[in-house]
Amino acid sequence: MYGKVLLGVLCSVTAVHGWWCEGHMLVAEIASLHLSHSANQRLEEYASYLHKNGPFPKSADWKQLACWPDDIKSAISMTSAWHYINIPINPDNLPDVPQPPADNIVSALNSESRTLGRLSQYNIYENSFTLGMYIHFVADAHMPLHCVGYFSNTFPPPKGDLGGNMFYIVVNNTETKLHSFWDSVGGMYENLPRPLDNANKHVLKNIAEGLVEKYGGDFTQLQIENDNYYSWAEEGHEVAVDHVYAGITNGTVVSQQYIETTRDIGQRQITLAGLRLAHLLKGFFQ
């Protein structure tokens, strides 16, 4: 399936964003720090194939490939549903709140895992496409607003707040989408221009090393080795309930404490995603 989709993508690419691209590249960079040279080389081979044969000039290495599914999302709309799962939050106990559809980030990750576990059975189109999607979705599954559908009297079914895209907050006198605020890790990260130059590659690596130093010790090996994708979504849902939506309504002027909490949780989730990605890629490529 992925190979056929890829062939349809090669002619048309439009940029869209998930975690903002810097967050996705940080997840991949953290994973890279924990992989062997040979594993990194194999990943580069697949990334290079997509980079050259798309061509996808922004995806110049496998860390930058982490952003690629957002680059192509509007060109192949069927992939849009693979970026999230709308596990409901329903504080007003509304009826007819929809459950997540069958096609979602969890089903996508499960499908991609099966392909990556049998690389020799698929062609290079399918393997390269699947790898790019998988790297990206591992990161998306750790972004809380990719794990929830918020339904209330303000945001009734069936659409709700569209993962925080209809929910606005005010940050430093500026109205912003809740989803965008969390995508940017509370305004910490921007979209570094791709393809990265050597200076920005160095910046990315330094930030990744800092995140591992600050947050890496927070997680047990059991947490890192958890490969149950739905449980990741449940973790994100819990973060959304306890922190993302806690104490705010549409239009809230958020406090400095809320900003700092967003930044702390966002960096922590990126670190956990990177460590988990490294563990999973070792299983496929080492």
Side-chain angles (χ1 to χ4, degrees):
M1 178 188 71
Y2 288 133
K4 293 178 181 178
V5 173
L6 178 59
L7 290 173
V9 172
L10 299 180
C11 298
S12 177
V13 178
T14 306
V16 198
H17 304 290
W19 273 118
W20 282 2
C21 187
E22 186 172 343
H24 280 284
M25 291 190 291
L26 283 170
V27 169
E29 187 70 51
I30 289 167
S32 177
L33 294 172
H34 292 81
L35 293 173
S36 68
H37 175 74
S38 62
N40 272 295
Q41 284 298 106
R42 289 193 67 191
L43 291 164
E44 290 296 0
E45 290 171 7
Y46 285 110
S48 177
Y49 185 86
L50 275 186
H51 171 62
K52 293 176 181 177
N53 289 280
F56 298 111
K58 291 183 178 182
S59 299
D61 56 46
W62 86 260
K63 277 85 77 177
Q64 295 177 73
L65 180 64
C67 305
W68 172 72
D70 276 340
D71 294 340
I72 67 169
K73 186 166 61 177
S74 62
I76 43 173
S77 59
M78 67 170 287
T79 69
S80 295
W82 300 349
H83 291 250
Y84 60 88
I85 180 169
N86 288 333
I87 304 174
I89 298 176
N90 183 13
D92 296 329
N93 296 313
L94 301 176
D96 302 321
V97 167
Q99 293 301 306
D103 286 338
N104 56 59
I105 195 170
V106 174
S107 65
L109 284 165
N110 282 322
S111 177
E112 290 150 7
S113 291
R114 289 190 292 271
T115 300
L116 293 174
R118 299 175 293 184
L119 288 168
S120 63
Q121 298 181 27
Y122 299 94
N123 63 45
I124 193 166
Y125 282 101
E126 293 168 315
N127 291 335
S128 300
F129 183 96
T130 301
L131 176 64
M133 290 286 172
Y134 186 77
I135 293 166
H136 183 91
F137 294 154
V138 167
D140 271 352
H142 289 80
M143 198 289 204
L145 284 166
H146 282 249
C147 303
V148 298
Y150 183 83
F151 301 90
S152 67
N153 290 321
T154 305
F155 301 105
K159 290 186 177 181
D161 76 341
L162 299 178
N165 282 296
M166 300 299 293
F167 195 122
Y168 285 83
I169 55 175
V170 178
V171 183
N172 298 326
N173 298 315
T174 301
E175 188 177 64
T176 185
K177 293 179 180 180
L178 184 64
H179 191 110
S180 297
F181 186 66
W182 280 82
D183 267 347
S184 68
V185 190
M188 289 189 69
Y189 300 145
E190 299 178 358
N191 286 317
L192 293 175
R194 294 161 50 223
L196 298 178
D197 59 23
N198 287 333
N200 278 330
K201 287 180 181 178
H202 187 68
V203 167
L204 195 74
K205 185 175 182 180
N206 283 346
I207 295 173
E209 290 173 340
L211 289 174
V212 173
E213 181 177 358
K214 183 175 182 179
Y215 295 99
D218 290 357
F219 311 110
T220 66
Q221 197 62 29
L222 189 64
Q223 285 176 295
I224 293 169
E225 294 179 2
N226 175 14
D227 60 0
N228 183 321
Y229 303 125
Y230 189 79
S231 77
W232 297 359
E234 290 180 316
E235 291 171 358
H237 183 271
E238 183 177 352
V239 170
V241 171
D242 293 344
H243 301 288
V244 177
Y245 289 99
I248 63 171
T249 58
N250 193 39
T252 292
V253 179
V254 298
S255 66
Q256 186 62 34
Q257 181 60 52
Y258 185 89
I259 295 171
E260 295 302 322
T261 297
T262 302
R263 291 174 175 174
D264 183 64
I265 291 173
Q267 292 177 96
R268 188 179 187 278
Q269 290 295 104
I270 284 171
T271 306
L272 178 57
L275 296 174
R276 283 177 168 167
L277 179 61
H279 168 71
L280 291 159
L281 291 177
K282 285 177 185 178
F284 299 131
F285 294 100
Q286 288 191 179

